[in-house]
Amino acid sequence: MQLQFWGHSCFLLSTPNYSLLFDPFLRDNPHQLIQPESIKCDYIFVSHGHHDHLGDAIEIAKANDAQIVATFELASMCETSGCRIHPMHIGGKHVFDFGSVRLTPALHGAGVSGGLASGFIVSIFGKTIYFAGDTGIFGDMQLLGRLESIDYALLPIGDNFTMGPTDAAEAAKMLNAKHVIPMHYNTWPLIAQNAETFKQDVEARFSIPVHILLPGQTLSLD
Ligand code: NI
Ligand code: MN
């Protein structure tokens, strides 16, 4: 199974049979790494409605006949635009054909009226991956770590809008994550961070390996 980073908080998780896309902010990403037309996927997970997460999800969903997985309010909005959806909500779990998904809380704005921001814990191909979305640190991350055995935690470290590196390190510990991948940094000067410092801190204090992915890079999840 491969995890490819497409900048900001966009990841493409691929198994031999399924491709899962997370928060595809591509066309307006200032680094212009890949265009939405080049993405092939079966499911699109959207953590909340802010433009740097919803991004090109609707266009990609239609082009691929992919299903959008999101909170009820956000999924319903995507359905209005003609997308196939699977609505969920915080604390709910569902078994899909590729594996299971738990919708997690996220301390953040929803970006859509009446909604909530979320994260996802996806169990697929023998691995459990926590995509935190945009969130501040919260104590129930410890509970998530007890409920799920998290192999890879994808955590925002950009600060200002989300956790910064110090809080994300603490989050990794609370989640009892086996590996950490930082996201949501260096897209703009406001969220500039040194991921190398974050890596050294988490590895030295908590002995959790941190994998820094440069945009376009792929990590094999074995
Ligand atoms: Ni946001
Ligand atoms: Mn964001």
Side-chain angles (χ1 to χ4, degrees), residues 14-212:
S14 307
T15 72
N17 295 319
Y18 298 101
S19 288
L20 280 50
L21 182 67
F22 295 82
D23 283 1
F25 173 62
L26 303 174
R27 203 183 295 287
D28 293 340
N29 186 314
H31 302 296
Q32 289 280 310
L33 308 155
I34 187 172
Q35 288 307 309
E37 298 87 326
S38 308
I39 297 281
K40 297 275 165 274
C41 63
D42 305 298
Y43 291 88
I44 306 177
F45 295 80
V46 186
S47 64
H48 63 296
H50 290 158
H51 181 57
D52 59 319
H53 298 263
L54 178 60
D56 308 296
I58 290 169
E59 177 185 337
I60 298 170
K62 285 189 191 173
N64 289 270
D65 194 28
Q67 194 170 42
I68 289 187
V69 183
T71 57
F72 180 84
E73 290 78 9
L74 181 54
S76 299
M77 195 197 83
C78 295
E79 189 176 40
T80 307
S81 302
C83 298
R84 291 200 303 119
I85 61 163
H86 183 99
M88 295 182 68
H89 234 300
I90 311 288
K93 204 167 180 176
H94 182 75
V95 179
F96 291 80
D97 52 0
F98 60 82
S100 72
V101 176
R102 173 198 288 274
L103 216 78
T104 70
L107 274 186
H108 195 73
V112 56
S113 171
L116 289 167
S118 73
F120 302 95
I121 298 180
V122 177
S123 293
I124 179 172
F125 220 66
K127 296 287 176 204
T128 297
I129 294 133
Y130 172 43
F131 176 83
D134 274 3
T135 187
I137 192 168
F138 54 91
D140 280 352
M141 285 177 171
Q142 199 139 26
L143 181 59
L144 293 177
R146 251 173 46 208
L147 294 171
E148 304 279 351
S149 177
I150 298 169
D151 295 299
Y152 291 86
L154 282 46
L155 302 176
I157 67 161
D159 223 337
N160 191 77
F161 299 111
T162 68
M163 296 188 281
T166 311
D167 286 6
E170 194 61 37
K173 166 81 175 147
M174 279 200 290
L175 292 160
N176 201 17
K178 295 184 188 74
H179 303 262
V180 169
I181 297 167
M183 64 179 182
H184 209 270
Y185 66 99
N186 289 356
T187 315
W188 302 279
L190 186 56
I191 55 170
Q193 294 295 341
N194 186 333
E196 211 41 71
T197 308
F198 170 71
K199 176 179 163 74
Q200 283 163 17
D201 178 43
V202 174
E203 292 183 349
R205 286 200 292 145
F206 303 129
S207 301
I208 303 169
V210 174
H211 308 272
I212 298 170

